[in-house]
Amino acid sequence: LIVEDEIEFERCYEKNNTRYIENKINNNFVLLDKDLSEINQLPLDISGNQKYKALPNKVSLEKIIDRCAALGLDGRSLIQKLHTWQGKEFVTVELIDSLFRPLEDVRLNEGISTRQILNEDESDKLISQIKKVANPKEPIKEGEMLKLDKKNLILYGPPGTGKTYNVAAKALEIIAPQKYKELIEGKATREDIINEYKKYIEKKQIAFCTFHQSFSYEDFVEGLRSDEEGRFVPTSGVFRTLCEAAELAEDHSISSYDFDVNTIDFHKMSLGNSLGSDADIYEYCIESNVVALGWGREIDYSDCSDRKEVKIKFLNSDPDNEERSFNIDAINRFKNWIQIGDIILISQGNHKVRAIAKVIGEYYYEPNSEISYNHFRKVEWLYHGEPIGVEQFLSNKVLSQQAIYKFSRTDINTENVRSLLSSKQQDSLQENKQNFVLIIDEINRGNISKIFGELITLIEEDKRKGELNEISLILPYSKKRFSVPKNVFIIGTMNTADRSIALMDTALRRRFNFIEYTPDSSLLSEDVEGVNVSEFLMALNERINFLYDQDHLIGHAYFMKPDLTFKDLISIMKFKVLPLLQEYFYEDWEKIEMILGGAGKLGDSSFFLNKSEKDPLKIFGNLLGRDFDKQYQYHVVDEPIKEAFIRLYTDTDLNS
C-alpha cells in the first residue's frame, strides 16, 4: 500500500496505553481501537503526552484492514500492533540472539538498532556502509556521494543546524570535487565556500528555488508565458532550464570555440520569422554554412565602410522607401559591425536560440541567390538543432524582435557561454563541468504532486536519460519529448520544525536519500564571559526533546557568531530562541518556564522569565461568582544576567 501511495500519515498520541490519531479532515481524533471510533475531543489535554512520529490516518487504516481481509488476515488485530512509522524505511522484525548479535561500539541515530548477521563474510562491509549512511555526524568523505551515486538528496533537521551552509558545500562537492577538497583542507571559512558557490550560480551550473504553497508545475517545469507579440508561448521553468543546460554540457554536436571575450562581440540575427513560414531560408543557411540578411534591397554594399556610405547607396537606389532607416541600420550592422571571429545567436522567438555561428568570412552580395535574401557572411556552425533557452546565454534578458543587433557585453553570460563552447579536451581536473545541481529550499513546504507532476518518476536514478530503464514523456505545453539527464543532481532542504519527514509525500520519500543534521553543541564555545554555551545548548535541547520531540530542537548555528560576547547571547535568546519556543509550545508558558530553568519574581534578572500572579478578586471584585484557578502572567527579562544561563545546565545532570 505504501509503494502504491495509498497510505497517508497523521500524528499519533498516547495516553494511558490508549492511542489517538489526529483526523485533520474532520478536525477531531480517531481512537485506535478495533472500530476506529471518532471523538470530537479528548478527555484530557494531549499536548503533554507521548507522541508517535506518525501513524496511518483513518482512511489508510481502513485500507490496511480491507487488504488484509482479502488475504485472509485479521487486519483489525494488526493495526493494534503498529508502532512508529516513517514510510517504508522501518519495519519491525523478531530478532533471535542465536542468529543475530547486537553490535558493540556502534552509536547510530535514535530509533535505529543494528545487529550483525553471524557467520557472514560480507557482514563487516555491510555494517560499515550502514554506519556511513545512517550516522549523519560522520562526515561523508570526499567523492563518496558521487561514488554512491546519490542523485537525489534531502538535508533535514531542526532550524539552525547548518542545512543551508552544507547544501552549498554539497553542491561544490558534486561540481568541483578537487576544489572543494582544497577548500576543506585549507580550513576554508563559510565566506570562502559561499563565494565559490556563487560562481557556479553565475555559470548556471547551480540553480536555486524555494518551494511554497503557490509554487507550481508551471514555475518548476514549464508553463505558458506572454511574449512581446501578445502570444502565450511555452516557457521553461527552473528545473527544465537546468536540464537543458545539463544536456548541452553533454551534447557532442556543439563545436568548441575558445574565444577571447575581450576581442569578439556577440550578435543576434533572425533567419526567417519565428512562425516558420520561410523555413527554407534557415535550412539553406545551415546547409550552406552562411548567415543571410533580407533587409537592404538588391544592392551590393561591398564598398561601403560605414553607415554614411550605406545610406548614400541605399537612397540613390530607392529614395522613396519608407522603411529606409532600419534597412540602412541592418546592412551597416551586418556589413561593418560583425567582424570575423564574432559569435551570432540565431533566434527562435524571444525565448529560444536555435543555432550558434562563428563568423569566418567577410560580407558578400549574391544577386542570383537561391533564396529571397541577397546579403551573406560565411560562418562555422557551432550548434544547430533543438532550440536552447535564451537564459543559457543572456543574463536576465530575453531576445528583442529586431532582425539584427549587437549585444552589450553585460547582457551576455560569458562564463556560461565559454563553458558551453569550451574544448572538452581542456576540461580542468579542478571541476566537473558535466554535473549540474538544483537546490530546492524548504522542499517540504510545496505541494509535491502539483509541482513535480509526472516528473516524480523521471528523477529516479535508473529512469534518467541514458540509463537502463530510461523514461521520457511529452511535456503538456511545448509538446517536446523530455527526460531527466543523468548529470543533474537534486538537493533539497527541509526544516523538521515545519513538518516531520513522516508527514512528507510518500512518493518523494521513496525517491530521495536523507541526511539528518542535528544540533552539535561540541562546536560551541565553553567559555563566553563565564558561560559554557556548549553545555547550555545541550541542556536546553534535552528539555525540549523531553517535552516535545527532536524535530524541534534549537540548532547550534544560532550561537556561532564570530567573536561571540555575552551581550550577543542575550540578543540570541531574546530575538531567536524565545520566539521559536513560543511558536513550538503555542504560548504554553508553563512548559517554556520549565525549559528555561524556571521564572523569577518581577525584577529578578537571574532568570529569562519573570511571572506574577493574577488575583481574580482584584480584577472582578464583587462580580466574581465562582472560584478560579490561579493564573500567572509571564514577562521576558530584557537583560538577564549570567546566572540565567548557568542555572540551566548546572541544574541538569545529563550524565546520570
Side-chain angles (χ1 to χ4, degrees), residues 178-323:
Q178 184 63 31
K179 184 177 294 183
Y180 171 76
K181 181 179 180 181
E182 291 172 358
L183 284 170
I184 296 303
E185 290 178 348
K187 308 298 182 184
T189 64
R190 172 178 173 80
E191 185 179 4
D192 295 331
I193 295 288
I194 295 301
N195 285 339
E196 287 299 323
Y197 166 79
K198 288 179 178 178
K199 290 179 183 178
Y200 291 101
I201 290 277
E202 290 294 320
K203 293 180 180 180
K204 308 286 187 181
Q205 274 191 267
I206 298 176
F208 180 94
C209 66
T210 301
F211 279 5
H212 49 79
Q213 292 180 341
S214 299
F215 203 81
S216 67
Y217 179 91
E218 286 73 19
D219 300 313
F220 192 61
V221 185
E222 71 166 13
L224 296 177
R225 299 285 186 272
S226 176
D227 64 7
E228 293 183 0
E229 296 179 354
R231 297 175 307 198
F232 285 89
V233 296
T235 305
S236 297
V238 60
F239 183 61
R240 189 184 173 197
T241 297
L242 186 77
C243 289
E244 288 176 344
E247 281 191 294
L248 287 171
E250 289 193 326
D251 192 344
H252 299 293
S253 66
I254 299 179
S255 300
S256 63
Y257 177 26
D258 297 317
F259 60 87
D260 182 351
V261 68
N262 297 312
T263 60
I264 72 160
D265 287 313
F266 291 82
H267 309 265
K268 177 262 182 181
M269 284 190 65
S270 303
L271 296 181
N273 62 50
S274 60
L275 297 177
S277 57
D278 46 6
D280 60 313
I281 294 173
Y282 175 75
E283 293 171 1
Y284 174 84
C285 289
I286 295 296
E287 293 173 1
S288 305
N289 295 315
V290 297
V291 289
L293 185 69
W295 295 85
R297 313 284 291 183
E298 296 179 0
I299 304 170
D300 185 357
Y301 298 93
S302 298
D303 58 349
C304 298
S305 59
D306 56 31
R307 188 181 187 281
K308 181 178 179 180
E309 293 178 357
V310 169
K311 180 178 180 180
I312 292 172
K313 178 162 284 194
F314 181 83
L315 293 179
N316 286 340
S317 174
D318 193 0
D320 299 324
N321 193 309
E322 296 179 357
E323 297 179 343

Side-chain angles (χ1 to χ4, degrees), residues 592-627:
I592 297 175
E593 177 187 352
M594 291 176 64
I595 288 171
L596 295 177
K601 296 181 180 180
L602 288 177
D604 188 347
S605 301
S606 64
F607 292 87
F608 292 107
L609 300 175
N610 289 163
K611 70 177 179 179
S612 57
E613 185 177 338
K614 304 291 289 186
D615 187 349
L617 285 174
K618 292 182 178 179
I619 298 173
F620 297 100
N622 295 329
L623 296 175
L624 193 67
R626 61 187 178 89
D627 292 335

